[in-house]
Amino acid sequence: MRTYRKRDFPVAEVRRFLEPGPIVLVSSQWRGKTNIMTLGWHMVMEFVPSLIGCCVSSQNHSFEMIRQSRACVINLPTADLAATVVDIGNTSGRDIDKFRSFRLTAIAGDRVEAPLIAECHASFECRLVDASLIRRYGLFVLEVVKAHVARSPKYPRTLHYRGDGVFMVSGQNTARYRPRFRPDML
Ligand SMILES: Cc1cc2nc3c(=O)[nH]c(=O)nc-3n(C[C@H](O)[C@H](O)[C@H](O)COP(=O)(O)O)c2cc1C
């Protein structure tokens, strides 16, 4: 097995290697207005209940919308939506109606008062279940209360952000190492 000679690397840039993606679009609704933001900083926190942590900067309009409404939808865009994903990230719901400006279709949620994005492969309706880390870290602990997923493809081509304007598009899958897994780890 090869070893790597490593050099010093700026700590503020390690995100280039660790940001897992996939990039998601988080939609929200508060006081009759809808909004969408692009988000890469999320993590799975628990299977049951299905918990996802999302880091949202307080500078973003979505921050108060999600905090006040205690709900949002995490939508999974595919690679063909890359330009829209960037445009949504470059703009604020303070200034524009993003559903209208980017010609996206809002579908009412079944379980939460926030819109699903019809153009995305999957949409997860979420409730804010723990707000205790928001002030310190902007970390919203969300519970997925309903999941809507397209039937195919099983593995959509998703966008993964590598920083500095570079996306990795998801590619090959392999089940070659599946037999090595302990059954309870699958
Ligand atoms: C690829 C990408 C990833 C981003 N990830 C995050 C993130 O994880 N958290 C965050 O607060 N903002 C993130 N942003 C920035 C927001 O999407 C951006 O500030 C957006 O305009 C906020 O919209 P709003 O003011 O309507 O809420 C990201 C932007 C891009 C383009």
Side-chain angles (χ1 to χ4, degrees), residues 15 19 23-26 28 34-42 54-66 82 85-96 98 138 159-163 165-167:
R15 70 188 194 99
E19 267 185 40
I23 287 294
V24 296
L25 295 174
V26 177
S28 52
T34 61
N35 194 26
I36 315 173
M37 71 171 287
T38 301
L39 182 133
W41 290 7
H42 57 76
C54 286
C55 265
V56 179
S57 160
S58 59
Q59 312 267 314
N60 291 332
H61 191 53
S62 302
F63 181 93
E64 278 303 317
M65 291 188 67
I66 303 168
V85 163
V86 176
D87 292 348
I88 288 171
N90 278 337
T91 50
S92 178
R94 273 185 209 99
D95 312 315
I96 59 165
K98 297 199 201 181
L159 294 162
H160 302 252
Y161 195 47
R162 310 204 82 160
V166 177
F167 286 111

Side-chain angles (χ1 to χ4, degrees), residues 1-171:
M1 247 185 279
R2 75 167 277 195
T3 57
Y4 292 87
R5 267 186 69 179
K6 302 177 190 78
R7 61 181 175 85
D8 270 359
F9 190 83
V11 291
E13 289 176 31
V14 299
R15 70 188 194 99
R16 286 198 193 175
F17 301 94
L18 294 178
E19 267 185 40
I23 287 294
V24 296
L25 295 174
V26 177
S27 45
S28 52
Q29 183 172 322
W30 175 240
R31 294 195 166 150
K33 294 242 165 78
T34 61
N35 194 26
I36 315 173
M37 71 171 287
T38 301
L39 182 133
W41 290 7
H42 57 76
M43 63 177 163
V44 175
M45 297 177 70
E46 182 56 279
F47 286 110
V48 182
S50 174
L51 298 184
I52 313 287
C54 286
C55 265
V56 179
S57 160
S58 59
Q59 312 267 314
N60 291 332
H61 191 53
S62 302
F63 181 93
E64 278 303 317
M65 291 188 67
I66 303 168
R67 203 173 70 84
Q68 300 283 358
S69 66
R70 299 189 72 87
C72 66
V73 179
I74 297 175
N75 303 272
L76 185 73
T78 43
D80 51 304
L81 287 182
T84 304
V85 163
V86 176
D87 292 348
I88 288 171
N90 278 337
T91 50
S92 178
R94 273 185 209 99
D95 312 315
I96 59 165
D97 174 342
K98 297 199 201 181
F99 273 98
R100 244 174 89 129
S101 300
F102 303 117
R103 296 188 184 172
L104 295 169
T105 314
I107 311 267
D110 290 342
R111 300 280 309 278
V112 303
E113 284 200 19
L116 282 58
I117 303 175
E119 287 77 7
C120 286
H121 181 89
S123 298
F124 309 133
E125 297 185 38
C126 297
R127 284 216 178 94
L128 176 62
V129 288
D130 187 344
S132 64
L133 296 167
I134 294 179
R135 206 146 69 104
R136 187 148 187 197
Y137 297 110
L139 181 62
F140 289 65
V141 180
L142 304 164
E143 179 180 348
V144 180
V145 291
K146 170 107 189 177
H148 309 253
V149 179
R151 277 175 166 264
S152 79
K154 186 171 178 190
Y155 299 107
R157 288 177 74 235
T158 47
L159 294 162
H160 302 252
Y161 195 47
R162 310 204 82 160
D164 200 30
V166 177
F167 286 111
M168 176 179 72
V169 178
S170 67

